[in-house]
Amino acid sequence: MAISSRLDTARVLATVLLPTLAKGVIVRRPGVMAAAEKVQSDTRAIDTMRRLRDRYGPEPVRLRITGRSVAVLVDPTDVGRLLAGSPEPFALATKEKKAALKHFQPHGVLISEGPERDRLRRLNERALRPENVPVEAIVRDEADLLTRHVMSTGELTWEAFNQAWWRIARRIVLGNGARGDDQLTDDLKALRQNANWAFLHPKQRDLRERFQRRLDEHLARREEGSLAAQPGDLSGQVPHWLFAFDAAGIVTLRALAIGARGMNGVLESARLWPTTPVILRESTIATRWHGTWLPENTEFVVFTPFFHRDPDRLPFADRYAPEIWDQPRDPAIVPFSAGPGECPGRDLVLTTAATMLDTLSEHLAFPALSAPLPGTLNHFGIRMPAQPKGTRVS
């Protein structure tokens, strides 16, 4: 069994896990992201993971953490097995995930178990289909306003993009009546900031109740042309849908920064800079790996930037390579996770993001980052000079 030395455990904690937590797992922290970009923290983390694999071989590496069995995966085939084996014997609802997500979505599918998880998973899969919403019309409407703003200022910033993106998200999820409800998503952001601390932050029940009341008022309209019009009790699931749109916005702006287009471009942005940098699973029974056993309740850690950008395995690790999505891929390249726990909104996110990319690019030209692309890209700091191109339809 591969058990890391105390020094290697400390390296993994110091360069991989703690920086990931510091940046914010549920909502990113601008100051920490800026610092992480300056020191290229993800590149350092990938180097640590490469050394771990080279020193201990392909089997999961157990960290020396008192009171917990924690194993870091270093082999892509093992990642495929872990994700395919969810939720049994590799549960999605880990202790850490429950502690974080209960701050704002205590009834969400991600932290549900057993038959209830199966029921909620089916509900999410039915609701989150791109054909359920006029995605293209909504995106083009808001992208046109953003284009006008960018033409007047001469640059695209995260702040301007994010405001337009949240209008799109609220319209897709809740309908046009929620378009201007910044308070709803501001309250959600505050709850998500608490969730970054998981066990360590007390739950703000008054804030969550205010958010839920406001959300339920929008849901009660069941506005046609929105996800809220789908059948079923959606109240406990919608907070996660909105949460996921935040990550999708980050992916979309980064895609613009590398000159990406279409769905493959969105997937490449999510490969290069995963918005879920750590995937966690917890074993419900003892499991065998490369000839050795790991006990029940072992927490398995998949550090996705390592698997997405390992230069030892991937010749395209640090460049924009949309062509890889048209051919069989490494089982550990999983921007939307994989297996039974794959994001049920994958197609909706890809459709929304690709439409935004293509619409903005019809009328605006941006300089693109060139290879080798940075390991850490702070989306908060993106400011792209923009030039008008073509003929806009007014």
Side-chain angles (χ1 to χ4, degrees):
M1 180 181 298
I3 302 178
S4 72
S5 68
R6 295 189 187 281
L7 180 58
D8 285 332
T9 293
R11 285 192 180 115
V12 172
L13 292 173
T15 65
V16 180
L17 299 181
L18 293 180
T20 299
L21 291 172
K23 284 185 284 188
V25 174
I26 305 299
V27 61
R28 300 297 183 266
R29 298 180 173 107
V32 181
M33 283 297 301
E37 182 180 56
K38 187 172 294 186
V39 301
Q40 288 297 296
S41 66
D42 289 286
T43 301
R44 292 183 176 186
I46 291 167
D47 288 343
T48 295
M49 293 296 299
R50 291 166 69 193
R51 286 194 295 269
L52 203 68
R53 175 198 55 207
D54 293 346
R55 179 167 296 179
Y56 297 99
E59 62 185 285
V61 181
R62 288 186 74 180
L63 303 182
R64 291 181 182 269
I65 297 177
T66 304
R68 292 296 304 273
S69 175
V70 178
V72 178
L73 297 192
V74 294
D75 184 82
T77 303
D78 288 349
V79 175
R81 173 193 168 188
L82 184 83
L83 299 182
S86 301
E88 290 288 343
F90 305 114
L92 294 95
T94 67
K95 297 178 182 67
E96 290 77 10
K97 195 180 296 182
K98 287 179 180 178
L101 297 185
K102 280 184 177 180
H103 281 275
F104 66 96
Q105 52 165 58
H107 307 295
V109 64
L110 278 185
I111 53 175
S112 59
E113 298 174 276
E116 178 67 0
R117 181 193 179 276
D118 295 338
R119 182 185 73 82
L120 292 177
R121 177 74 192 192
R122 290 192 298 271
L123 184 153
N124 278 266
E125 288 175 346
R126 284 195 305 268
L128 295 173
R129 294 173 180 165
E131 60 268 26
N132 290 339
V133 186
V135 172
E136 183 172 344
I138 292 171
V139 172
R140 287 188 172 275
D141 190 24
E142 299 296 340
D144 182 69
L145 290 175
L146 178 58
T147 297
R148 294 171 188 268
H149 171 78
V150 172
M151 285 184 170
S152 69
T153 62
E155 68 175 1
L156 177 61
T157 65
W158 166 251
E159 182 179 5
F161 177 89
N162 196 40
Q163 289 176 1
W165 186 259
W166 274 117
R167 290 195 295 268
I168 290 169
R170 290 190 295 263
R171 289 177 67 181
I172 286 175
V173 175
L174 299 169
N176 293 336
R179 178 184 184 272
D181 194 351
D182 293 319
Q183 188 64 57
L184 177 77
T185 38
D186 286 348
D187 284 351
L188 178 59
K189 181 180 179 181
L191 290 166
R192 290 167 54 218
Q193 287 170 333
N194 296 344
N196 272 344
W197 296 96
F199 304 100
L200 301 177
H201 198 290
K203 292 183 175 63
Q204 289 185 271
R205 299 191 185 281
D206 290 346
L207 176 59
R208 203 189 100 65
E209 288 172 3
R210 184 178 78 183
F211 164 75
Q212 195 65 48
R213 281 196 304 271
R214 203 176 190 99
L215 178 63
D216 289 342
E217 288 171 6
H218 288 299
L219 286 170
R221 295 196 314 273
R222 290 199 172 269
E223 188 175 318
E224 194 67 29
S226 73
L227 296 180
Q230 297 305 304
D233 181 5
L234 308 179
S235 181
Q237 309 311 304
V238 169
H240 186 74
W241 300 353
L242 292 168
F243 162 44
F245 265 100
D246 186 26
I250 295 170
V251 167
T252 306
L253 186 63
R254 287 171 171 164
L256 277 172
I258 56 174
R261 301 289 180 270
M263 291 190 182
N264 283 9
V266 178
L267 287 163
E268 266 298 89
S269 175
R271 174 187 72 84
L272 289 159
W273 301 286
T275 52
T276 305
V278 173
I279 297 175
L280 301 177
R281 297 289 187 269
E282 190 169 329
S283 60
T284 58
I285 58 173
T287 54
R288 186 178 175 89
W289 301 83
H290 300 263
T292 61
W293 288 87
L294 289 172
E296 178 184 355
N297 298 327
T298 293
E299 183 156 53
F300 291 90
V301 178
V302 178
F303 184 62
T304 51
F306 165 61
F307 291 103
H308 287 194
R309 298 188 68 168
D310 177 7
D312 300 321
R313 288 182 11 259
L314 308 173
F316 52 82
D318 296 326
R319 68 173 176 85
Y320 173 53
E323 69 277 2
I324 71 169
W325 299 98
D326 296 322
Q327 57 199 31
R329 289 178 307 284
D330 187 300
I333 298 179
V334 286
F336 287 88
S337 192
E342 183 177 36
C343 173
R346 178 184 186 276
D347 291 344
L348 176 63
V349 165
L350 287 173
T351 301
T352 306
T355 304
M356 187 69 157
L357 278 183
D358 295 342
T359 303
L360 291 176
S361 300
E362 286 175 14
H363 307 301
L364 298 168
F366 304 101
L369 295 172
S370 56
L373 295 168
T376 304
L377 180 60
N378 173 25
H379 59 284
F380 295 109
I382 291 176
R383 306 182 75 89
M384 293 188 289
Q387 293 291 331
K389 66 178 186 181
T391 303
R392 293 184 65 256
V393 178
S394 59

